[in-house]
Amino acid sequence: MALAYYQKHLLSFVAFLLLVNLHIEHSMGKEVVPVGVVLDLNSTVGGVAERCMSMALSDFYGVYDYYNTRIALLTRDSGKDVIAAASAALDLMKNEEVHAIIGPQSSAQAKFVIELGRKAQVPIISFSATSPSLSPAQNPFFIRTALDDSAEVKAIADIVTAYGWREIVLIYEDTDYGKGLIPYLMDAFEEIETRMPYRSAIPPLSNNSEIAKEIKKLNETNARIFLVHMTASLGSKLFALANSAGMMREGYAWIITEGLSALFGPLGPKVKESMQGAVGLRPYIPRSKQLDHFKRRWKRINLTSSKANVKITGLNLFGLWAYDTAWALAMAVEKAGTMHSEFLKKNASKSNVDLTALGISETGQSLLDTILTTEFQGLSGKFHLIKGQLEPSTFEILNVIGKTERIIGYWTRKGGFPRELDGNNEVASSISKDKLKQPIWPGDTTEQPPKLRIGVPVKPGFEEFLKVEWDPRTNKPIISGFSLDVFLAVIQALPFPLPYELLPFANKDRQSAGTYDELTYQIKLQKYDAVVGDTTIVANRCSYVDFTLPYSESGVSMVVQVKDDKKKNFWIFLKPLSLDLWLTTGAAFVIIGVVIWVLEHRINNEFRGPRVQQLGTIFGFSFSTLVFAHSEKVLSNWSRFVMVVWFFVVLILTQSYTANLASMLTVERLQPTFVDVNEIRRNGYFVGYQNQTFVKGLLIKQLNFNESMLKPYNTPEQYHEALLKGSNNGGVAAIFDEIPYIKLFLAKYNSKYTMVGPTYKTDGFGFVFPKGSSLVPHVSRAILNVTQDAIKFGKIEQKYFSSSGSASTCEDSCPSISSNIASISSNSHSLGLNSFGGLFIITGVVSLFSVLVYVSKFLRTNWPTVSTLKPESSFLSKLIELAKRFDQREDPSSHPNIHERHTSWANAVSSAEGIELPHNMENHSRNFHAAGDSDESLDSTGSPSRRSDTPS
């Protein structure tokens, strides 16, 4: 009490000395310029700022003693009240006629005072109202000798980017100061694709229970990264309660803005302890001799004197800005020449709150312009105003450790984090956490929070996709498999770090804790942050989680056993052609034989002889053309014309028959036991599916199977055993599963089973994240990069599938079996007449035309003779006579071309063999053709011997 008494009287004495000094200065010709000060004097910022401004003016006039002006600070306490601040400012302008006002301290207070300054044209200069909602551009008589809060937004965004955080929760003070930063943060986070799923507004007068209630809500959101933007008085309460709620432990990260980090020093030990691991940023103050000297003086003064009712704490950033503000104003007052200036009164009023009585400062505009152009090197750095506020500077990034802070890096206006600063405070940098020193995170750990809690399914079978084992020494899970390796490759492809920990979805016995649906639902319950595994993208799951793009093939299909019927069908050789095609082809063979016989009978000995022999020749010749093995030689050009067309038809028929028969034999050998789902369901056969997957629901809901007919299995070996037994022997008729599993199964049992039936659409395997997670688009893009890299993705596939026959090998072979069977089945029907109708029409037209030409020539030659020799005979008798003439061998003399062909052949043979033919060879040939109607000669045994007129 005694100390307080002496302190109070000491301050009164100091005030008395100041008044005496001002009186002396006035008497010495110095112009005293009244300047108002509106601060919360009982606050940390207000108390420090008041003393710093007094020291600034003392230092300034000590240096510039020859100046003609002296600033007199008229201080008012706003008491943290908006109305009190406005009333104090109005009183200073109206009654004290101050030329400028320094303050008020908060943005909410400044909002009202700025309007008064605009009306009275009195500059309002604030070193602590940092809200971007107060813009000097929109308020011409407002000057901010501090950094706008929006200047730190880019630095915050770069920190978030460097550590790869894609979701962050904002906790802000529910005042103009707190709300003013939100639009800038939203824009910055949107640019870096970081989501702000929740914003927590805490009123400045909230008590501990109200703050604790809000912290509980934050904890229930499962958020791990927080950005705190509030003043030190409210922030100290928040961190103390957050620490009690267990939110300052490992796995959490906290970022604090300038409003709290700039006042870290004055905070109490308990508050600092609750903030362990927090990362903050504040404007960088370059070291200088002037600053070091001032700090020493500050400590010395604090040790010797203090206000009785205010605890003056350590020097802070706002105190330095207050010092520079007073220095700048003193300099501007001298330059502006404000001596003997007055207020222009509008009307007289004794009321302190009568705004109509507020006058207009004569020198306000001049003083404003002078302040805006004032530049010097102050304690906080270069004093240079840009558009009415302090020029943005470099920020330093701090990490709260113990009872102090540790500088872990810097952020420059060029963007990024230089490890050190050069003399100009600007160096080339990049956005990488490697440029920052390793911070100590909450929980006293160096592992970056938050670790993504990734749920991993635990199941027996198909371990190539995912396998979970436990280390017998450490009892820690060992996880491997195709799905995990794909995820690891995706993590490497991300443009930012993504810490994670794998947590098997298992019970106490290390067995599966539930189905895949139950596993994905754990994300909604906030037990996991993601699920990595062979998790299929299906519609019902998408209602409560988000999936990335798939990294595997999609679809559900059916696997059945293959029937290898080695006995085959006894009459399968008839199946390639339909009955109508067989009959038409047979008729065509007979017709062609008859046509050739008609064209060759009169001139070719091979088509003559006894009737039975001629009939055999007709059929033998025509059907032997099927294999191009006919021995009879045709002599007539018309016959050759018909045969050329017929051979083409035969070639097409035989090739088509061969191809279709081969297809049918293949289908017969690889015929699946079932091809129709309806047949299996209708006959009441059992079917299998992979346990704990969505396939069971698909079989019941979409394919209408009775649940009692479904059997779950876990491994490919169980699939094989069940299919081998069959539905009637305790097994199943078919297995339904997703295509990646089917391929793996077929790779092991390739020749015994096949995939048949329709494919039921699914979207393949994907990674699972919470609904609305900002990680989904980033991970999806990385999946595309990995899966489209044939070399990288191929190595992952080969690692897990090549040893068992290869799922990648099966990708080429196994689907081809089923697809080939489907293709063969669809193309292995009997060939019909419609397929070859055009060929038969062409053959028929050619044959008919040839016969008509030949018959017309025969009639033209023989009908006149028959009609002349027996004119009295009936038409029938004449036809019989024509038939007899047709049956007779035609006189070779009427066909010299036959003789010529025979002779030229004989000469060709003799020339080729070097043999000189006998002179009577030609006569022998003539005699042969002149032998009358006889087409036969006897050999040495007396048997008839047939000879051709022309050898082949």
Side-chain angles (χ1 to χ4, degrees):
M1 294 293 294
L3 179 61
Y5 175 80
Y6 287 116
Q7 286 178 341
K8 181 177 180 179
H9 284 75
L10 178 62
L11 289 174
S12 300
F13 180 70
V14 170
F16 173 75
L17 290 179
L18 288 174
L19 291 175
V20 172
N21 184 50
L22 289 175
H23 177 74
I24 296 173
E25 289 178 346
H26 182 72
S27 63
M28 294 175 63
K30 304 294 184 182
E31 177 70 19
V32 177
V33 179
V35 172
V37 177
V38 179
L39 294 173
D40 301 332
L41 296 179
N42 290 327
S43 67
T44 301
V45 172
V48 172
E50 182 190 20
R51 176 162 294 181
C52 285
M53 286 189 289
S54 297
M55 295 176 67
L57 294 179
S58 176
D59 294 344
F60 181 83
Y61 292 120
V63 175
Y64 301 103
D65 181 62
Y66 55 90
Y67 274 16
N68 295 320
T69 56
R70 292 291 186 270
I71 288 180
L73 298 179
L74 305 177
T75 305
R76 300 289 187 272
D77 185 4
S78 61
K80 298 183 180 181
D81 184 74
V82 174
I83 303 300
S87 178
L90 181 61
D91 175 61
L92 289 170
M93 293 179 192
K94 184 174 181 296
N95 299 320
E96 303 294 341
E97 295 187 352
V98 294
H99 292 264
I101 292 179
I102 299 177
Q105 186 170 315
S106 70
S107 298
Q109 296 170 359
K111 185 175 182 180
F112 291 91
V113 176
I114 287 172
E115 288 298 318
L116 296 176
R118 181 186 61 80
K119 186 174 181 63
Q121 296 187 8
V122 173
I124 308 300
I125 309 169
S126 178
F127 57 85
S128 56
T130 56
S131 173
S133 62
L134 302 177
S135 172
Q138 298 175 354
N139 302 282
F141 281 85
F142 173 56
I143 299 174
R144 180 163 30 218
T145 55
L147 289 183
D148 178 357
D149 283 336
S150 63
E152 64 182 325
V153 168
K154 186 62 171 66
I156 295 172
D158 285 350
I159 292 175
V160 172
T161 300
Y163 289 105
W165 295 325
R166 294 299 145 188
E167 289 188 357
I168 188 167
V169 171
L170 173 64
I171 309 174
Y172 64 97
E173 184 178 296
D174 193 12
T175 60
D176 290 345
Y177 163 75
K179 292 182 289 188
L181 194 62
I182 294 178
Y184 299 89
L185 286 173
M186 296 295 289
D187 290 344
F189 288 158
E190 182 178 357
E191 185 177 345
I192 63 174
E193 298 182 358
T194 294
R195 185 167 161 264
M196 191 184 291
Y198 186 77
R199 297 197 300 266
S200 175
I202 299 179
L205 299 179
S206 299
N207 55 39
N208 287 347
S209 61
E210 293 171 336
I211 299 176
K213 185 177 180 180
E214 186 63 25
I215 288 176
K216 183 180 179 181
K217 290 182 181 179
L218 292 173
N219 207 7
E220 292 173 351
T221 64
N222 201 34
R224 292 293 182 271
I225 311 298
F226 299 96
L227 172 63
V228 179
H229 179 59
M230 54 182 56
T231 57
S233 57
L234 184 60
S236 59
K237 294 180 182 179
L238 174 75
F239 275 99
L241 294 172
N243 186 41
S244 301
M247 296 176 65
M248 296 301 298
R249 54 183 170 84
E250 184 177 356
Y252 289 84
W254 294 78
I255 304 174
I256 55 178
T257 61
E258 169 195 317
L260 189 53
S261 58
L263 296 174
F264 177 78
L267 296 178
K270 291 185 178 180
V271 176
K272 292 180 179 179
E273 184 179 351
S274 67
M275 296 175 64
Q276 293 300 297
V279 173
L281 69 164
R282 62 191 175 201
Y284 169 70
I285 305 300
R287 295 195 60 178
S288 63
K289 293 181 178 179
Q290 181 184 2
L291 178 60
D292 292 340
H293 176 68
F294 181 79
K295 288 180 177 179
R296 289 194 294 269
R297 290 172 54 208
W298 178 264
K299 291 181 180 179
R300 188 169 57 252
I301 292 175
N302 279 343
L303 289 175
T304 58
S305 64
S306 177
K307 282 190 176 182
N309 57 344
V310 178
K311 181 181 179 181
I312 302 298
T313 56
L315 186 64
N316 56 57
L317 175 66
F318 296 102
L320 299 180
W321 278 341
Y323 183 98
D324 290 344
T325 299
W327 187 287
L329 184 58
M331 185 178 293
V333 164
E334 179 69 21
K335 290 181 180 180
T338 59
M339 294 183 295
H340 310 297
S341 60
E342 296 180 356
F343 271 56
L344 298 178
K345 300 292 185 179
K346 288 188 176 182
N347 53 49
S349 175
K350 296 182 180 180
S351 174
N352 291 337
V353 294
D354 186 3
L355 296 180
T356 60
L358 188 61
I360 298 176
S361 174
E362 292 182 323
T363 60
Q365 186 66 52
S366 175
L367 181 60
L368 175 70
D369 295 338
T370 307
I371 296 174
L372 293 177
T373 58
T374 300
E375 292 185 26
F376 61 93
Q377 192 67 31
L379 293 183
S380 62
K382 184 178 180 181
F383 185 91
H384 177 55
L385 300 179
I386 301 294
K387 295 181 179 180
Q389 57 190 9
L390 199 63
E391 181 182 19
S393 63
T394 300
F395 283 87
E396 61 184 12
I397 303 171
L398 59 92
N399 181 212
V400 179
I401 301 175
K403 296 181 180 180
T404 183
E405 74 259 11
R406 167 174 165 258
I407 305 302
I408 62 173
Y410 302 91
W411 181 89
T412 67
R413 287 181 297 175
K414 292 182 179 179
F417 312 114
R419 182 59 68 94
E420 299 293 342
L421 296 177
D422 64 4
N424 297 323
N425 296 341
E426 293 287 346
V427 294
S429 54
S430 63
I431 303 175
S432 172
K433 67 175 184 178
D434 296 334
K435 296 293 183 179
L436 302 175
K437 297 177 182 178
Q438 175 63 58
I440 305 299
W441 300 103
D444 197 23
T445 178
T446 58
E447 293 187 8
Q448 177 189 327
K451 280 187 177 180
L452 208 64
R453 299 170 300 172
I454 298 178
V456 177
V458 177
K459 63 171 187 176
F462 295 100
E463 295 178 341
E464 290 83 354
F465 288 97
L466 204 65
K467 183 179 182 180
V468 180
E469 300 176 301
W470 271 265
D471 190 321
R473 293 176 298 177
T474 63
N475 287 327
K476 292 183 177 180
I478 303 174
I479 303 173
S480 61
F482 171 74
S483 296
L484 179 62
D485 278 15
V486 172
F487 176 73
L488 296 179
V490 167
I491 292 297
Q492 293 178 354
L494 289 173
F496 51 83
L498 188 63
Y500 64 90
E501 58 178 336
L502 301 175
L503 304 173
F505 185 52
N507 54 26
K508 296 180 180 179
D509 298 326
R510 296 179 177 176
Q511 303 298 319
S512 175
T515 65
Y516 277 64
D517 285 338
E518 293 171 335
L519 171 58
T520 55
Y521 198 76
Q522 299 302 307
I523 294 180
K524 183 176 177 61
L525 298 178
Q526 301 179 4
K527 182 177 180 180
Y528 299 132
D529 301 317
V531 168
V532 169
D534 46 349
T535 314
T536 307
I537 305 171
V538 291
N540 67 306
R541 295 172 183 170
C542 292
S543 62
Y544 51 86
V545 294
D546 277 349
F547 284 90
T548 63
L549 289 177
Y551 63 88
S552 72
E553 287 186 89
S554 61
V556 173
S557 192
M558 177 174 69
V559 177
V560 297
Q561 195 172 5
V562 172
K563 293 188 301 184
D564 192 357
D565 189 2
K566 297 181 179 179
K567 296 180 180 180
K568 300 185 175 66
N569 194 318
F570 190 75
W571 297 100
I572 194 173
F573 68 92
L574 295 176
K575 291 183 178 180
L577 305 182
S578 63
L579 178 60
D580 57 351
L581 184 56
W582 275 119
L583 295 176
T584 303
T585 303
F589 274 108
V590 174
I591 292 173
I592 291 299
V594 172
V595 169
I596 297 300
W597 178 84
V598 169
L599 297 175
E600 295 289 323
H601 176 68
R602 302 188 74 237
I603 61 175
N604 193 336
N605 285 337
E606 297 205 28
F607 288 86
R608 300 186 63 81
R611 299 291 179 261
V612 176
Q613 183 174 336
Q614 291 184 48
L615 186 62
T617 299
I618 291 174
F619 286 98
F621 174 81
S622 61
F623 283 99
S624 64
T625 59
L626 181 63
V627 291
F628 308 100
H630 55 284
S631 60
E632 294 81 4
K633 306 302 184 291
V634 295
L635 302 178
S636 171
N637 285 333
W638 290 110
S639 299
R640 292 189 177 113
F641 179 45
V642 172
M643 291 304 297
V644 167
V645 176
W646 177 244
F647 284 157
F648 179 72
V649 174
V650 170
L651 178 64
I652 296 299
L653 282 172
T654 54
Q655 293 296 324
S656 300
Y657 174 87
T658 302
N660 206 27
L661 179 61
S663 299
M664 287 186 171
L665 289 174
T666 304
V667 171
E668 195 70 24
R669 181 172 60 86
L670 297 176
Q671 186 68 31
T673 53
F674 301 99
V675 295
D676 188 7
V677 176
N678 295 324
E679 179 185 358
I680 298 176
R681 185 177 59 245
R682 185 172 54 252
N683 293 330
Y685 293 139
F686 289 98
V687 296
Y689 65 94
Q690 188 177 165
N691 194 20
Q692 296 184 351
T693 65
F694 75 99
V695 177
K696 178 180 180 181
L698 182 145
L699 292 172
I700 296 173
K701 297 177 182 178
Q702 296 187 29
L703 300 183
N704 299 319
F705 276 95
N706 191 310
E707 186 174 359
S708 62
M709 306 307 294
L710 305 181
K711 293 186 176 183
Y713 298 101
N714 293 314
T715 66
E717 291 74 20
Q718 292 177 355
Y719 282 6
H720 169 60
E721 183 180 353
L723 288 170
L724 203 60
K725 289 180 178 179
S727 181
N728 296 327
N729 298 313
V732 294
I735 293 287
F736 286 85
D737 209 342
E738 296 175 79
I739 290 177
Y741 299 119
I742 291 177
K743 285 186 175 182
L744 185 60
F745 172 69
L746 293 179
K748 296 182 178 181
Y749 305 99
N750 200 359
S751 60
K752 297 181 180 180
Y753 307 98
T754 185
M755 184 168 59
V756 297
T759 298
Y760 303 97
K761 181 64 177 176
T762 62
D763 284 336
F765 297 157
F767 302 130
V768 195
F769 288 91
K771 197 74 174 174
S773 172
S774 59
L775 285 173
V776 172
H778 296 283
V779 176
S780 294
R781 283 194 289 268
I783 287 174
L784 289 178
N785 292 333
V786 171
T787 55
Q788 291 178 3
D789 188 337
I791 297 178
K792 179 184 292 185
F793 197 68
K795 288 181 179 179
I796 298 176
E797 287 184 319
Q798 186 178 9
K799 176 181 177 181
Y800 291 100
F801 302 128
S802 60
S803 59
S804 61
S806 176
S808 57
T809 300
C810 187
E811 183 150 348
D812 298 327
S813 60
C814 302
S816 65
I817 294 175
S818 57
S819 61
N820 283 345
I821 289 176
S823 176
I824 291 170
S825 299
S826 62
N827 296 319
S828 297
H829 303 295
S830 298
L831 298 173
L833 181 59
N834 292 335
S835 303
F836 303 95
L839 292 175
F840 286 116
I841 291 175
I842 294 173
T843 304
V845 170
V846 170
S847 300
L848 181 61
F849 178 74
S850 300
V851 170
L852 288 177
V853 172
Y854 179 81
V855 170
S856 64
K857 182 180 179 182
F858 173 77
L859 292 176
R860 188 172 62 251
T861 303
N862 292 279
W863 181 259
T865 304
V866 172
S867 299
T868 303
L869 292 177
K870 298 179 180 180
E872 70 285 356
S873 299
S874 64
F875 181 75
L876 180 59
S877 299
K878 292 178 181 181
L879 288 180
I880 293 174
E881 182 63 25
L882 282 174
K884 291 180 179 180
R885 283 178 173 268
F886 179 79
D887 191 50
Q888 294 175 358
R889 193 177 193 283
E890 189 173 356
D891 186 2
S893 62
S894 62
H895 288 275
N897 59 326
I898 298 177
H899 164 70
E900 291 171 1
R901 286 195 300 272
H902 180 77
T903 304
S904 63
W905 168 81
N907 291 336
V909 172
S910 64
S911 298
E913 298 183 0
I915 301 174
E916 184 178 353
L917 293 175
H919 180 70
N920 62 349
M921 183 67 179
E922 183 177 347
N923 295 331
H924 175 75
S925 178
R926 289 194 182 98
N927 292 337
F928 178 81
H929 290 293
D933 293 338
S934 177
D935 293 320
E936 298 181 357
S937 61
L938 298 177
D939 58 13
S940 60
T941 62
S943 300
S945 174
R946 301 186 62 212
R947 294 179 296 175
S948 174
D949 292 337
T950 304
S952 59

